Amino acid sequence: MVLIHPKPRVSIVICTYNRADLLQITLNSLPALKAIDKAEILIVDNNSTDHTREISQSFIQRQAGGTDVHYLFEQTQGLSAARNRGIQEAKGDIVAFLDDDAVPCMEWIRTIIDTLDTRQDVYAMGGVIRPRFESERPKWLIEELELPYTIVDMGATVHEYPMNRHPFGANMAIRKSFHDKYLFPTDLGRKGTLLLSGEESWIFEQMKKEGKAILYQPSMVVDHFIPDSRLTKDWIKQRYYYQGVTNGSMHKSQISKLVLLGKVASKVLYIVVDALFARTEGRKLLITCRMQSIKGTLDTLSRRGKMRLIG
């Protein structure tokens, strides 16, 4: 007998690439969540070559007769392509994105449903992302370097995101109706191990242009794994470089490029002045990272960064 699940309110989309063991921890945390009966889980395997399929199918078998889980294989490499596949397959009227190395709090699903049911003007929401370090936090990891590691805590009050901030993919929910018009741009975002980004910024920029509210909800909490392999100065400098590549690639018209160059010039001046007062290891690293971001932008605008975009 085939079990027929009721239409879910929330579709939990987990995009994954070659991180089967971390994915297993995330999946195992989901059945115990409150209101899990109102959700479906979509595992989007983005062309993994490890044992992701086996981990997923084993989880599906264990949930037979319980949690509604589906495995999808998306061959087109790239996080945006994987997310779009999840959106297209989602049956819920809310799409909640969760990283394959994140564990949500017990109230995660219920918080998403209750918030969006209460606030019809809100089209997307995000929350707290707490770091779970593989070993220990480096002394140089100052607060200003937290965002590239997706460490987010904007306080204990519910409020709309300021103009320069938005939810992160490790912990965000979007009304599916918005995706009827906008999907994630596939020329931006991670591709395999390539550290491009910008796809989330683009989506939320469109949302803000349409006057849709984007809410920070501190009760929407996930713990996000940060491996030792990322807790190096080389990694964070590369992350900033590719943020610069992303910034450069998002400006295509001549006028837009000139405006960006003006902003870069202002940033260089600010960084030079700030460097005069940098005393700690973390502050000095921040200066270096910001210069790497500018280098990535200039490389891209001058076309020297073209080959780096090939993943």
Side-chain angles (χ1 to χ4, degrees):
M1 183 179 71
V2 178
L3 179 67
I4 304 298
H5 290 277
K7 184 180 184 297
R9 290 295 316 282
V10 178
S11 296
I12 303 172
V13 174
I14 304 172
C15 301
T16 187
Y17 173 70
N18 282 350
R19 300 207 290 183
D21 293 335
L22 288 171
L23 173 66
Q24 186 168 34
I25 295 171
T26 296
L27 292 176
N28 288 343
S29 72
L30 299 180
L33 298 186
K34 295 179 181 178
I36 188 63
D37 58 311
K38 299 182 184 301
E40 65 172 349
I41 301 169
L42 302 178
I43 307 165
V44 186
D45 181 351
N46 193 201
N47 208 24
S48 297
T49 55
D50 64 356
H51 52 295
T52 291
R53 183 187 294 269
E54 289 75 17
I55 289 293
S56 302
Q57 291 177 340
S58 174
F59 178 74
I60 290 172
Q61 290 172 4
R62 294 198 307 275
Q63 297 306 311
T67 308
D68 188 14
V69 191
H70 305 274
Y71 171 84
L72 308 170
F73 186 84
E74 177 51 56
Q75 188 170 12
T76 302
Q77 197 73 67
L79 181 55
S80 289
R83 283 177 173 164
N84 291 343
R85 175 69 184 280
I87 291 166
Q88 290 161 355
E89 299 287 345
K91 298 182 182 70
D93 54 357
I94 301 168
V95 182
F97 295 93
L98 186 67
D99 273 3
D100 59 1
D101 55 2
V103 173
C105 68
M106 293 294 290
E107 299 287 344
W108 191 69
I109 298 171
R110 182 174 292 173
T111 297
I112 291 171
I113 294 173
D114 289 350
T115 301
L116 291 179
D117 281 353
T118 304
R119 292 282 305 271
Q120 294 298 319
D121 61 314
V122 173
Y123 270 68
M125 58 186 288
V128 176
I129 304 176
R130 301 185 301 207
R132 182 168 63 88
F133 297 103
E134 184 174 5
S135 54
E136 61 182 21
R137 180 178 180 135
K139 293 180 180 179
W140 50 257
L141 181 48
I142 59 177
E143 184 178 348
E144 290 86 345
L145 289 171
E146 287 185 343
L147 277 185
Y149 287 104
T150 324
I151 300 172
V152 178
D153 188 340
M154 298 172 61
T157 60
V158 178
H159 60 270
E160 291 189 26
Y161 281 86
M163 284 300 296
N164 62 336
R165 296 288 294 273
H166 57 71
F168 281 83
N171 182 22
M172 67 183 184
I174 301 175
R175 293 190 190 274
K176 190 170 187 289
S177 59
F178 185 80
H179 286 304
D180 291 341
K181 187 175 182 181
Y182 299 103
L183 292 175
F184 288 95
T186 54
D187 59 329
L188 298 173
R190 297 283 179 92
K191 289 182 173 64
T193 58
L194 195 66
L195 295 177
L196 283 174
S197 56
E199 78 287 359
E200 294 163 10
S201 298
W202 185 89
I203 279 287
F204 292 118
E205 182 182 351
Q206 310 316 307
M207 198 173 288
K208 289 174 182 177
K209 284 180 179 178
E210 295 205 356
K212 312 294 188 186
I214 305 170
L215 203 67
Y216 168 78
Q217 168 57 269
S219 298
M220 183 182 175
V221 182
V222 303
D223 291 319
H224 187 234
F225 180 71
I226 302 178
D228 287 342
S229 60
R230 293 187 181 183
L231 293 172
T232 68
K233 294 180 180 180
D234 285 342
W235 186 91
I236 189 66
K237 285 187 284 188
Q238 185 184 46
R239 177 68 180 83
Y240 266 84
Y241 177 85
Y242 276 102
Q243 181 59 56
V245 172
T246 300
N247 291 341
S249 63
M250 291 178 73
H251 293 75
K252 302 186 185 303
S253 71
Q254 202 63 34
I255 294 177
S256 180
K257 289 178 182 178
L258 289 173
V259 171
L260 179 59
L261 284 172
K263 291 180 179 179
V264 166
S266 298
K267 286 182 180 179
V268 170
L269 180 61
Y270 171 81
I271 292 170
V272 169
V273 173
D274 197 30
L276 297 175
F277 303 96
R279 296 289 183 267
T280 66
E281 184 182 16
R283 294 296 303 179
K284 291 177 181 178
L285 178 59
L286 177 62
I287 297 297
T288 301
C289 287
R290 286 173 171 169
M291 290 303 296
Q292 283 294 306
S293 177
I294 288 172
K295 184 177 184 295
T297 298
L298 295 178
D299 281 353
T300 304
L301 291 178
S302 64
R303 299 181 181 274
R304 288 198 305 269
K306 186 175 181 181
M307 293 305 296
R308 294 179 183 269
L309 294 173
I310 300 174

